[in-house]
Amino acid sequence: MKDEEVISKKRKHKEEKKQKKKKSRKKQKREEDAAVAGGQDVSDNETSAAKDKGSSKKKQDDPTRIVSSPSSTEAQSPTLQDDAEAEEDTMKDESTKKKNKRSKSKERKKDKKKKDKKDKKKRDKEKRKSASLENDSSTGGQEQQPDNNNNKGSKSDKHSKLKQQKEDEQKILNASNMPSKIVQSSAIEFYDEQIKQKKSEKEEQVRAQDKFALTLLLFYQYIEPIWDEKTYNFMLTRLQKVGQDLQLTGRMRVAREGVNCTLTGSHESIVEYCRTLKRLRPTEFSETEFKLTSDLPQAQKFPNLKVFKVVELVHYGLEGSKAPPIAKFSGTHLEPQDYHKKLGESNTVIIDVRNHYEAAIGRFVPPKEGEGVKQGQPPPKWLDPKMRKSTEFPAWLDRPDIKEEMKGKQVLMYCTGGIRCERASALLKYKMETDPEIKDLGIQGVYQLQGGIDKYFKQFPDGGYWKGKNYVFDKRFAHAPPKIDGELHGKVDDSSSNNVEIMGQCEACQKPWDMYRGKRRCPTCGVPSLICKECFVDDKEGRKKLGKEVRCDLCVEQGIKSKYELRQKDEQDIYEYEKKMAKKGLLRPEALAPNPDKVTRLHLKNMCRKNMDEQTLCEALPGITHIVWRIDRKSNQFLGQGWVEMATPDDAARAVLRDGKLKLFGRPMYISYQPPNGKDIWPPSSAKVGK
């Protein structure tokens, strides 16, 4: 009941409110009508009063104010006054809004002008810096960092800082006259004259279609000491952003030890990228050599930009403390002219630091006795390490027959761009100082080709001592020296020509061939397959199948018929090499897993049940003295597990370090310590190896 009473009261209250509003509206309407009716009298009385008595200053100053005579005060409407005042307020509000808009627009214009001035100053400053850096690749100091304390201190401090900044800018502009380390060449410099003539006739069309507007950039730079994690992450993101902003494509390998890049883009963007690097880290990139090849067709452009985060710029397996410092041990860098002279000297060994499939289609062929070499003296000798990847080089260099080849001679090294020689030459020179076996060889110096084959071709466009083609990791795939390439351009098709010496041969039919085409790789080791055009066509049309028996010449020579055999060989070679170096105390202390209790008993899991045997296990884990296989009692089958006794605690620690990393028959082996429990006799005499 109480709720109903409350609801009824609320309804009555609402109805009363509505009635009051209606009455007030009617009253207001009557007053407005009366004011309109008496409006003329009011104005007449106002003018007469103004004439007879004179208006006060306040009344004259306020034209909107309505003045009435004493006789007409009752007729004057209060609502009319309210409307006039409201109209006055709205007019004032509109005027203030307009004033505010005008002031805001003025402020925006002023801010824009200030910003434009700042941007212009900034652009001018960058232009001055880039101009100086183009003439001088080194400023001798690090990039200036912004002063976060500019707001602190007195005006004199700020003035002195500005003065210092101007002096620093002037120093950059007045830097030394050392030439910029940019090596440029044109891909069409040695084209046939008729082709050049055709190109000049269609120059406008070529420019419109942008066919020959591509520039290729090759460069690398090792950093010592290596970047810390913060700097490394900054350089990763910064290099990628700069490349994207300049619309470059290609590959960047970025590690804490440096940068290795192969990029394509417009000539202006490539040059600007080089300048940006020097501005970004002036000291670290002051000696960087940028090799540019312009006038390449757009078809040789990389499709996108890829940035790879890597541990080593070139994967030698010499990361971290295993890597000898390049600044201290790197070989002597020779410019192409000086290297060319060395190639003709006697008592010289020339090591090709590239992979074998690269050397198969082109290499340096040094002169023989009577071709510039003095009679009676041994002519220079070219050596191919026959590598599939660079991790095989350290073990190859340590072979006894290679040491004998280098004995008493000077060693020359070369590769495509120079980067692979940096670690290779540093490794050899490091051993010359630390390894007694290498010290006793009496090597007469270690030299490397500055800028690699790429720069050699720029200095010797006819090829010099080079024969065949140079394999490259860009869209050119392989190319002859510029002059020979220019003579061949337009005169030969995809098939090889007698005008250039062919160094390689087809893996299927042994026909002379030097062009890697298609995506086929050796089914055993995975390197690119050298297959001629005819064999490719026959395979495609079903006349001749390129099966697993068609392998690269290196797999055929070494008798490797499966990926497993190759993997086992590589792992064993690297393990043996590192074990040997560790015993000599070279490169780094021997790595051992923690073994505080000196345990020699190990538990092994995940071994291959079909193929695992004693010999394989002992070769994989040196130091085994006893083996106990876990056998199922009912089926008498091997369960893939077992226990071994190691000769020493250090042998056990070396084995445990390879836990999960050692793969036998394609299966990772899991190795752990398991000391004997004392219940059984360990090791059992019946489990002795070789019994």
Side-chain angles (χ1 to χ4, degrees):
M1 293 292 290
K2 289 182 179 180
D3 294 338
E4 291 178 358
E5 288 177 1
V6 171
I7 291 168
S8 62
K9 283 181 181 180
K10 285 183 177 179
R11 285 176 180 173
K12 286 180 182 179
H13 185 67
K14 285 182 180 179
E15 288 176 359
E16 287 174 0
K17 273 188 175 182
K18 285 181 181 179
Q19 289 176 0
K20 283 181 181 180
K21 283 182 180 180
K22 285 180 180 179
K23 287 179 182 179
S24 64
R25 285 173 186 167
K26 288 179 181 179
K27 188 178 178 181
Q28 188 176 355
K29 192 174 182 183
R30 286 197 299 271
E31 288 173 351
E32 287 175 356
D33 293 340
V36 170
Q40 187 64 36
D41 296 334
V42 171
S43 60
D44 291 340
N45 291 334
E46 183 181 68
T47 52
S48 63
K51 287 178 182 178
D52 297 336
K53 298 178 182 180
S55 299
S56 66
K57 290 181 180 179
K58 287 183 180 180
K59 292 174 184 178
Q60 288 175 353
D61 294 336
D62 192 358
T64 61
R65 184 179 175 86
I66 299 176
V67 183
S68 59
S69 62
S71 61
S72 63
T73 52
E74 292 180 0
Q76 178 64 32
S77 172
T79 56
L80 190 62
Q81 282 185 350
D82 293 338
D83 292 338
E85 288 176 2
E87 188 178 357
E88 181 185 359
D89 291 335
T90 55
M91 289 173 68
K92 286 181 179 180
D93 290 337
E94 288 176 1
S95 63
T96 53
K97 283 180 181 178
K98 287 179 181 179
K99 286 180 181 178
N100 290 335
K101 282 183 180 180
R102 284 195 296 269
S103 62
K104 284 181 180 179
S105 64
K106 286 181 180 178
E107 287 175 1
R108 282 196 295 269
K109 286 179 181 178
K110 285 181 181 178
D111 292 339
K112 191 178 179 183
K113 285 182 180 179
K114 287 180 181 178
K115 192 178 179 182
D116 291 339
K117 284 182 180 179
K118 285 182 180 179
D119 292 339
K120 189 178 179 183
K121 285 181 180 179
K122 193 176 180 180
R123 285 195 298 271
D124 293 338
K125 188 177 178 181
E126 287 178 354
K127 282 180 182 178
R128 289 196 298 271
K129 283 186 178 180
S130 63
S132 65
L133 288 167
E134 188 177 2
N135 294 326
D136 177 20
S137 62
S138 173
T139 61
Q142 291 288 345
E143 184 180 16
Q144 287 188 353
Q145 299 295 327
D147 190 356
N148 296 325
N149 300 319
N150 278 345
N151 295 326
K152 300 177 182 179
S154 62
K155 289 183 179 179
S156 61
D157 292 336
K158 290 182 180 179
H159 180 72
S160 62
K161 286 177 182 177
L162 289 170
K163 189 177 179 181
Q164 184 64 37
Q165 284 179 359
K166 287 182 179 179
E167 288 177 358
D168 292 341
E169 287 177 14
Q170 193 62 33
K171 284 180 182 178
I172 292 171
L173 291 171
N174 297 331
S176 62
N177 294 322
M178 188 179 72
S180 177
K181 292 201 171 185
I182 294 180
V183 183
Q184 302 193 52
S185 66
S186 171
I188 61 171
E189 183 179 356
F190 296 96
Y191 275 19
D192 186 82
E193 290 300 326
Q194 292 181 355
I195 297 171
K196 284 187 177 181
Q197 184 65 28
K198 288 180 182 178
K199 186 178 181 298
S200 62
E201 290 173 358
K202 297 182 179 180
E203 188 173 359
E204 294 181 2
Q205 183 182 355
V206 168
R207 285 181 180 176
Q209 294 177 356
D210 202 27
K211 287 181 180 177
F212 289 91
L214 188 70
T215 296
L216 172 73
L217 169 65
L218 303 173
F219 80 92
Y220 69 90
Q221 181 61 55
Y222 276 101
I223 306 295
E224 290 180 348
I226 63 173
W227 287 324
D228 56 33
E229 198 64 31
K230 185 178 179 181
T231 306
Y232 175 46
N233 290 327
F234 167 75
M235 289 300 292
L236 265 173
T237 55
R238 184 64 178 164
L239 288 172
Q240 184 170 16
K241 187 179 184 305
V242 173
Q244 289 172 344
D245 291 344
L246 294 171
Q247 296 181 343
L248 302 181
T249 57
R251 294 188 292 264
M252 298 182 188
R253 290 175 62 86
V254 186
R256 291 181 64 186
E257 65 180 16
V259 182
N260 181 21
C261 294
T262 303
L263 302 172
T264 53
S266 68
H267 189 270
E268 294 77 12
S269 297
I270 291 291
V271 172
E272 181 58 32
Y273 185 81
C274 301
R275 290 173 180 167
T276 303
L277 268 182
K278 291 184 178 181
R279 286 197 298 266
L280 193 63
R281 312 286 292 184
T283 301
E284 293 169 345
F285 290 96
S286 62
E287 296 298 317
T288 306
E289 187 172 78
F290 301 95
K291 297 184 288 296
L292 277 64
T293 303
S294 57
D295 298 319
L296 290 169
Q298 286 290 338
Q300 293 181 5
K301 181 180 180 180
F302 284 102
N304 47 37
L305 179 64
K306 293 183 179 179
V307 180
F308 299 98
K309 187 176 181 178
V310 295
V311 178
E312 293 181 87
L313 294 184
V314 179
H315 184 40
Y316 274 108
L318 299 174
E319 72 279 358
S321 58
K322 288 195 286 185
I326 288 175
K328 183 178 180 182
F329 296 108
S330 180
T332 305
H333 292 65
L334 295 179
E335 290 296 327
Q337 296 91 337
D338 299 323
Y339 193 87
H340 184 78
K341 292 178 183 176
K342 285 280 184 186
L343 285 171
E345 294 180 4
S346 59
N347 290 314
T348 302
V349 170
I350 304 154
I351 299 177
D352 193 331
V353 191
R354 302 174 301 157
N355 297 319
H356 175 70
Y357 65 86
E358 299 172 64
I361 64 170
R363 62 182 180 86
F364 281 116
V365 179
K368 299 177 182 178
E369 189 175 352
E371 297 178 354
V373 180
K374 294 180 180 179
Q375 291 185 353
Q377 293 186 355
K381 187 174 182 179
W382 177 79
L383 296 179
D384 179 12
K386 296 187 176 180
M387 303 180 294
R388 295 174 180 84
K389 49 190 176 181
S390 297
T391 49
E392 301 171 22
F393 181 77
W396 176 85
L397 194 64
D398 201 56
R399 278 170 35 182
D401 58 324
I402 301 304
K403 292 176 184 176
E404 191 63 31
E405 291 284 2
M406 296 188 294
K407 190 173 183 180
K409 298 176 183 176
Q410 60 180 357
V411 177
L412 305 184
M413 294 184 180
Y414 72 90
C415 60
T416 307
I419 187 169
R420 285 179 275 188
C421 291
E422 298 288 357
R423 280 275 181 246
S425 64
L427 179 63
L428 179 56
K429 287 193 72 176
Y430 172 81
K431 287 187 171 187
M432 287 167 63
E433 291 190 15
T434 57
D435 190 344
E437 292 182 12
I438 304 294
K439 263 185 184 180
D440 295 339
L441 295 178
I443 295 173
Q444 300 299 308
V446 180
Y447 305 92
Q448 65 186 75
L449 176 56
Q450 173 65 33
I453 303 163
D454 186 79
K455 191 175 181 181
Y456 184 87
F457 279 3
K458 288 174 170 58
Q459 296 293 325
F460 294 90
D462 60 349
Y465 286 122
W466 183 268
K467 303 294 181 185
K469 291 184 177 178
N470 178 32
Y471 183 95
V472 290
F473 296 90
D474 54 59
K475 294 296 181 179
R476 295 175 295 174
F477 301 110
H479 64 94
K483 194 171 182 180
I484 298 173
D485 203 35
E487 291 171 355
L488 294 176
H489 188 81
K491 297 181 182 179
V492 293
D493 55 12
D494 258 1
S495 61
S496 297
S497 169
N498 292 327
N499 294 330
V500 61
E501 188 171 353
I502 301 171
M503 305 293 287
Q505 63 179 17
C506 174
E507 294 169 8
C509 66
Q510 281 69 53
K511 168 189 173 181
W513 191 258
D514 60 4
M515 298 180 73
Y516 287 99
R517 289 291 183 268
K519 296 181 179 180
R520 189 186 190 277
R521 291 179 173 269
C522 175
T524 303
C525 66
V527 302
S529 289
L530 192 58
I531 305 294
C532 70
K533 186 177 180 180
E534 287 77 7
C535 289
F536 257 126
V537 173
D538 289 345
D539 179 65
K540 188 176 180 180
E541 295 178 356
R543 291 191 296 271
K544 180 181 178 182
K545 187 177 180 182
L546 297 174
K548 290 185 178 181
E549 71 282 354
V550 180
R551 298 168 289 156
C552 70
D553 62 338
L554 197 55
C555 285
V556 173
E557 181 184 328
Q558 295 176 350
I560 295 174
K561 297 180 180 179
S562 68
K563 293 179 180 179
Y564 166 73
E565 290 180 9
L566 178 65
R567 186 166 57 250
Q568 289 293 104
K569 175 183 176 298
D570 288 346
E571 288 178 358
Q572 193 64 29
D573 288 347
I574 292 171
Y575 176 72
E576 291 295 333
Y577 168 75
E578 290 194 349
K579 183 180 177 182
K580 186 177 178 181
M581 292 298 103
K583 283 183 178 179
K584 292 182 179 181
L586 301 176
L587 298 181
R588 68 170 183 176
E590 186 178 7
L592 297 173
N595 189 9
D597 297 329
K598 307 296 182 184
V599 177
T600 55
R601 185 175 185 257
L602 302 178
H603 182 215
L604 311 180
K605 295 192 297 183
N606 200 38
M607 291 183 282
C608 180
R609 299 184 183 190
K610 293 182 179 180
N611 301 318
M612 182 57 70
D613 56 23
E614 181 180 297
Q615 183 181 352
T616 303
L617 190 60
C618 289
E619 288 178 357
L621 297 175
I624 294 177
T625 59
H626 297 74
I627 301 176
V628 175
W629 309 103
R630 186 175 180 181
I631 306 295
D632 184 58
R633 292 181 180 179
K634 292 182 179 180
S635 62
N636 202 31
Q637 290 184 350
F638 175 48
L639 297 177
Q641 298 185 29
W643 296 265
V644 296
E645 176 69 13
M646 306 301 290
T648 65
D650 285 350
D651 288 332
R654 290 189 198 97
V656 172
L657 191 69
R658 304 178 74 187
D659 175 41
K661 299 176 183 177
L662 175 63
K663 289 185 179 181
L664 295 176
F665 303 104
R667 302 168 66 92
M669 184 184 296
Y670 301 109
I671 309 168
S672 60
Y673 297 117
Q674 195 176 83
N677 56 17
K679 295 180 181 179
D680 301 319
I681 297 173
W682 183 265
S685 57
S686 60
K688 191 173 183 180
V689 170
K691 198 170 182 180

